[in-house]
Amino acid sequence: ALVAITTNTIDRAFHMFTVLNDTGKPLTRNDILKAELIGAMAPADRGEATAQWDELAVRLDDDFEQLFSFVSTEAGRGSKAIVEAVRLEVAAHPTGAGGYVFDTLLPAGRIIDVMLHARHAGARQSAEINRLLRALSALPGREWVPPLLAFWKRHGTDAAALLVFITALERFAYGVRILALGAEKRAQRLAAMTALIAAGAPPHGPWPQLVFNRDELRNINHSLRDLHRRSPQICRLVLQRLEERQSGKPLAADVTFTVEHILPMNVGAASLWRTVIPDADNRKRLASCLGNLTLVTQVANEKAGNHDYARKCAVYFGPDGVPVTSLTAELRAIPAWTAAVIEARLVRMLAAINAMWRFDA
């Protein structure tokens, strides 16, 4: 028997196919759009378009499927379903599908490839630009891509301006995550930022959508104190940024670093930690404090467990050649891990974060 299912839009059809095709080969939006766009081009252009399309798909890999969403959002059509948005953009392009592919989609994809893989080159600012791009790419989601794409398309040849904008965007992207600002509110502010750039905002700002008000700054600084309790993932990323700033080099890409609570969250009845910090409530507060955290390898984290400070340091600085972060290396000069030490380290770490992102401004 054959069952025909009819929908009103291509996006609904794609959704239905995805739901029903649970045992077959997945059909991606890339498949739909590639067939539709290249099929609508002049025959003489199809070979070149296909070659460039496939090359970009390899370069972007898993992010290629998001390319259409990035481009549509940057064009101000983020509220539309993706295929519908692309069709509207093609209809609005003076040379139709061919012009859209060669003049809009592929150039945007190449910019996004540079952005997502931190491949900026040719300027004295390139190293810093790439460092910030890596920090943005480490965040969950890609919501920062459309505003940066909008800026890059218009001012990408000005590396100095690009660095200023990416610096402001990275500060905002981390700040809203520390604030735990909801996805919808983040999207609204970034959409307004994208629209401002498209409307001709000067390359050096101002960019009011990326600015935090006094209440937001106060909440950011409050949230930083026990960020791991609020969001372990964002806390790890903030510590990574702090580590890279402090060490002056990126973390090793082939090593998994985890957040380590030096004073454990849970201590046994016979633990020395009960002697060092006797009050249970104070011990719990200090354990979740930013000043009590460091970055160690997964293996070192598991070996350190809930042991006392001396045994933990023996693990952190063991003879097995395990990489040691600068955040952990500073413990070599600290003979005992006390409440006063944790509080003082919290102050230093907050000062370093504010020196990096100016959340105290």
Side-chain angles (χ1 to χ4, degrees):
L2 179 65
V3 178
I5 300 175
T6 304
T7 67
N8 296 325
T9 68
I10 187 66
D11 291 280
R12 286 178 179 272
F14 173 75
H15 176 71
M16 290 298 298
F17 180 87
T18 302
V19 171
L20 297 173
N21 186 45
D22 59 347
T23 60
K25 183 178 179 181
L27 181 66
T28 67
R29 287 192 176 89
N30 171 24
D31 296 324
I32 296 171
L33 290 169
K34 182 179 183 182
E36 185 166 319
L37 293 173
I38 295 180
M41 295 171 60
D45 295 330
R46 290 174 188 168
E48 181 62 26
T50 300
Q52 293 190 34
W53 184 294
D54 292 344
E55 179 187 0
L56 187 59
V58 170
R59 293 176 71 90
L60 290 178
D61 197 17
D62 292 340
D63 290 299
F64 186 72
E65 188 74 0
Q66 286 189 277
L67 171 61
F68 309 100
S69 177
F70 294 150
V71 173
S72 296
T73 302
E74 186 268 330
R77 302 185 191 275
S79 61
K80 301 286 187 182
I82 294 174
V83 176
E84 179 187 354
V86 170
R87 284 175 169 173
L88 289 172
E89 291 176 58
V90 170
H93 199 284
T95 54
Y100 172 76
V101 170
F102 284 117
D103 301 338
T104 300
L105 185 69
L106 294 175
R110 295 185 189 104
I111 292 172
I112 291 169
D113 174 42
V114 173
M115 288 161 48
L116 297 183
H117 297 103
R119 289 174 171 153
H120 192 277
R124 62 181 180 83
Q125 297 89 350
S126 292
E128 180 66 9
I129 287 172
N130 288 331
R131 186 181 65 80
L132 292 170
L133 289 173
R134 285 192 295 270
L136 283 166
S137 289
L139 287 166
R142 294 283 193 253
E143 58 199 15
W144 52 272
V145 170
L148 183 52
L149 174 61
F151 189 90
W152 203 303
K153 284 171 62 175
R154 292 158 180 82
H155 310 295
T157 58
D158 186 344
L162 194 60
L163 176 57
V164 171
F165 182 75
I166 297 176
T167 299
L169 182 62
E170 190 250 5
R171 175 182 183 266
F172 172 84
Y174 274 80
V176 292
R177 291 292 183 164
I178 295 167
L179 272 175
L181 200 65
E184 185 175 348
K185 291 184 178 180
R186 297 196 308 267
Q188 288 173 351
R189 286 175 70 160
L190 290 172
M193 182 72 257
T194 305
L196 182 67
I197 296 167
H204 291 281
W207 307 296
Q209 292 82 6
L210 303 184
V211 175
F212 295 111
N213 62 38
R214 186 174 299 177
D215 286 342
E216 289 173 330
L217 290 172
R218 183 169 58 250
N219 289 335
I220 287 172
N221 279 281
H222 178 74
S223 297
L224 280 168
R225 292 175 172 271
D226 61 345
L227 185 59
H228 191 270
R229 181 180 64 81
R230 298 167 184 271
S231 175
Q233 181 185 31
I234 299 304
C235 182
R236 178 178 58 81
L237 294 176
V238 169
L239 287 172
Q240 286 182 186
R241 286 288 287 110
L242 195 57
E243 165 65 25
E244 292 186 353
R245 183 181 188 277
Q246 185 167 298
S247 68
K249 58 185 179 181
L251 284 166
D254 58 344
V255 179
T256 299
F257 288 95
T258 62
V259 176
E260 159 75 346
H261 293 73
I262 302 167
L263 164 63
M265 295 293 291
N266 300 297
V267 298
S271 173
L272 290 176
W273 288 112
R274 291 178 179 267
T275 303
V276 177
I277 305 174
D279 183 76
D281 290 338
N282 194 37
R283 195 167 59 242
K284 182 178 180 181
R285 178 186 65 85
L286 290 169
S288 64
C289 169
L290 184 68
N292 183 53
L293 307 180
T294 189
L295 291 172
V296 300
T297 65
Q298 181 69 49
V299 172
N301 198 321
E302 293 171 357
K303 287 183 178 180
N306 293 338
H307 292 310
D308 61 75
Y309 182 61
R311 288 185 66 184
K312 278 179 174 262
C313 284
V315 171
Y316 301 156
F317 310 122
D320 51 3
V322 173
V324 178
T325 63
S326 66
L327 288 172
T328 302
E330 64 189 27
L331 304 185
R332 295 181 191 272
I334 303 175
W337 199 252
T338 65
V341 167
I342 295 172
E343 297 279 14
R345 189 165 179 264
L346 169 64
V347 172
R348 292 197 304 273
M349 292 174 78
L350 290 176
I353 289 171
N354 280 318
M356 179 169 60
W357 281 321
R358 294 311 311 270
F359 290 145
D360 57 345

